[in-house]
Amino acid sequence: RGGGTEARMSREPSLADLNERSRAVFRRLVETYLETGEPVGSRTLARAHEEKLSPASIRNVMQDLEELGLLGSPHVSAGRVPTQIGLRLFVDGLLEIGDISEEERAEIESKLGQPDPDLAGLLDRAGEMLSGLTHGAGLVLAPKSDAAIKHIEFVPLSAENALAILVTEDGQVENRLFHPPPGMTPSAMQSASNFLNTVLRGRTLNELRNVIAQEVDSRRQEIDSLTRELVEAGAAIWDGEKDEAPPSRLIVRGRSNLIENVKEQDLDRIRELLDDLERKQDIVNLLQLAETGEGVRIFIGSENKLFSLSGSSLVISPYMNADRKMIGAVGVIGPTRLNYGRIVPIVDYTARLVGRMISGRPKTG
């Protein structure tokens, strides 16, 4: 028997490993545990089981389920609780999702109210409502804004992390966490912020990145034009790899060549262009990172550390804009014995309602 158990435990168990009786006992045990939060014993299951099975028969089934890794015993007590693997199997294969009740639907709609131009206020209310309705912690993943930018700041947090703070023309403030390029200094980030704030002019991040990228291309063309004759005449060479565009350093060959063939002001102009090109490329990189950075996660009634606890679960659903594009998510964090069958439709309905309100779409069932 031991060898068979090891073979079964070498992979994740599935419903195919359970016969009809094992499946019924497992379902009832998990449902009882989710209701009470307490270890469930064989006598409790024997009283509740539709088939009149003896506690001894149920104990044998529970032992098989434990060997599969679906049940565990938290204390010396005879009761069993579902393991994390067991809960996953139950949620994926046996959970019966109920419909949202009319009372819950009415409460969600009354708390969220009508379409609100204050996006932050709407999302705060959604998180608070989910927390109150489910007795878990409401979670909201705010959408990334594609609105025109009024102000931008890059704030270094550590060697590995930085924050892009975006203030949009409509007054929203959004923070995005990103990993800055290696070697990017705080002063370089400040210079990038200063430059960008002079050229924003109501552009979105994507538009801004395209503008700076065009400047990078024009600088490269100007450098190429100024240096082509020098390089062809042998008065200078580029130092660097051939596939760089252009390489980072221009080496001038010989003072005599410099006097005869090279204008000092041309060299000064090339140096200026190279410095400017390097700064602009840094800015393009920062904008690219800010555009793809993570939207801020807002936790209401909980702290980040909750995610590091093995005894917590998260039920989350995305919300869509009018183009059916995912722009954010709402959810609930709580203990693993969440009432999943009730919470899943609440989170789903809230996500759909938030999406409609943000998009200004009419209410549908």
Side-chain angles (χ1 to χ4, degrees):
R1 177 167 179 149
T5 300
E6 288 178 10
R8 284 186 294 175
M9 291 294 289
S10 66
R11 60 173 176 79
E12 291 285 305
S14 69
L15 287 179
D17 296 315
L18 309 184
N19 59 31
E20 190 174 342
R21 174 179 291 182
S22 297
R23 199 174 296 192
V25 169
F26 177 63
R27 180 204 291 270
R28 188 58 192 154
L29 186 147
V30 176
E31 288 174 344
T32 303
Y33 168 74
L34 294 180
E35 289 169 12
T36 66
E38 300 293 335
V40 183
S42 55
R43 291 187 181 279
T44 301
L45 290 177
R47 287 194 297 268
H49 207 276
E50 292 177 0
E51 295 180 38
K52 293 306 175 184
L53 294 177
S54 68
S57 298
I58 290 180
R59 274 197 298 273
N60 288 335
V61 174
M62 290 168 69
Q63 185 177 352
D64 289 340
L65 293 171
E66 192 167 1
E67 288 178 356
L68 279 170
L70 299 175
L71 300 182
S73 179
H75 309 294
V76 187
S77 71
R80 297 291 183 271
V81 299
T83 61
Q84 185 170 323
I85 294 173
L87 279 173
R88 171 52 54 197
L89 183 64
F90 173 81
V91 168
D92 289 347
L94 297 173
L95 177 64
E96 294 182 357
I97 304 296
D99 290 328
I100 186 170
S101 71
E102 287 302 319
E103 293 79 8
E104 289 165 341
R105 188 190 300 263
E107 183 170 351
I108 292 171
E109 291 176 0
S110 68
K111 290 285 173 58
L112 294 186
Q114 299 302 311
D116 192 337
D118 178 15
L119 176 60
L122 171 65
L123 296 178
D124 278 348
R125 292 200 308 278
E128 289 170 359
M129 181 276 303
L130 282 171
S131 182
L133 202 56
T134 65
H135 305 294
L139 175 145
V140 176
L141 178 61
K144 291 179 187 176
S145 172
D146 197 33
I149 307 297
K150 183 178 180 182
H151 186 79
I152 186 168
E153 288 287 337
F154 299 110
V155 181
L157 302 177
S158 67
E160 295 81 25
N161 292 301
L163 203 61
I165 304 174
L166 312 174
V167 182
T168 61
E169 292 281 6
D170 58 6
Q172 300 294 328
V173 179
E174 184 181 345
N175 300 327
R176 297 186 186 178
L177 189 67
F178 67 96
H179 304 297
M184 175 69 68
T185 64
S187 61
M189 286 193 200
Q190 185 60 56
S191 297
S193 301
N194 294 341
F195 173 78
L196 287 171
N197 285 317
T198 65
V199 297
L200 283 172
R201 289 195 285 275
R203 294 183 171 106
T204 65
L205 269 186
N206 188 52
E207 291 168 343
L208 196 58
R209 186 163 57 85
N210 289 337
V211 167
I212 308 301
Q214 287 170 7
E215 287 204 27
V216 167
D217 287 340
S218 69
R219 292 294 186 272
R220 284 177 175 154
Q221 290 170 13
E222 194 170 350
I223 291 170
D224 185 58
S225 174
L226 277 170
T227 58
R228 184 182 296 113
E229 290 183 9
L230 304 184
V231 174
E232 287 177 353
I237 60 169
W238 282 113
D239 175 36
E241 299 297 327
K242 291 181 179 179
D243 57 356
E244 292 184 30
S248 58
R249 199 156 56 101
L250 184 71
I251 298 177
V252 177
R253 290 175 162 175
R255 297 297 298 175
S256 59
N257 282 336
L258 177 60
I259 293 170
E260 292 177 16
N261 302 311
V262 182
K263 294 179 181 177
E264 189 70 41
Q265 60 265 36
D266 283 350
L267 281 178
D268 289 341
R269 178 61 180 155
I270 291 170
R271 291 190 194 100
E272 289 173 10
L273 286 169
L274 284 172
D275 288 344
D276 190 51
L277 178 64
E278 187 175 349
R279 287 194 300 272
K280 293 291 197 307
Q281 189 59 58
D282 282 346
I283 292 171
V284 170
N285 291 340
L286 283 174
L287 287 171
Q288 174 74 41
L289 291 167
E291 200 169 14
T292 58
E294 298 176 5
V296 171
R297 287 163 174 79
I298 304 168
F299 300 95
I300 302 172
S302 68
E303 297 177 353
N304 260 338
K305 64 184 181 183
L306 193 59
F307 276 105
S308 66
L309 300 177
S310 60
S312 61
S313 287
L314 167 65
V315 178
I316 191 165
S317 177
Y319 53 87
M320 315 285 184
N321 63 11
D323 299 322
R324 304 301 300 165
K325 177 183 175 184
M326 188 183 114
I327 56 173
V330 297
V332 172
I333 315 163
T336 52
R337 66 175 201 87
L338 284 172
N339 185 342
Y340 298 95
R342 173 176 173 263
I343 288 176
V344 168
I346 288 175
V347 170
D348 176 65
Y349 186 71
T350 301
R352 287 189 282 127
L353 190 57
V354 167
R356 283 200 299 268
M357 288 187 168
I358 289 176
S359 305
R361 302 198 301 272
K363 177 186 166 186
T364 59

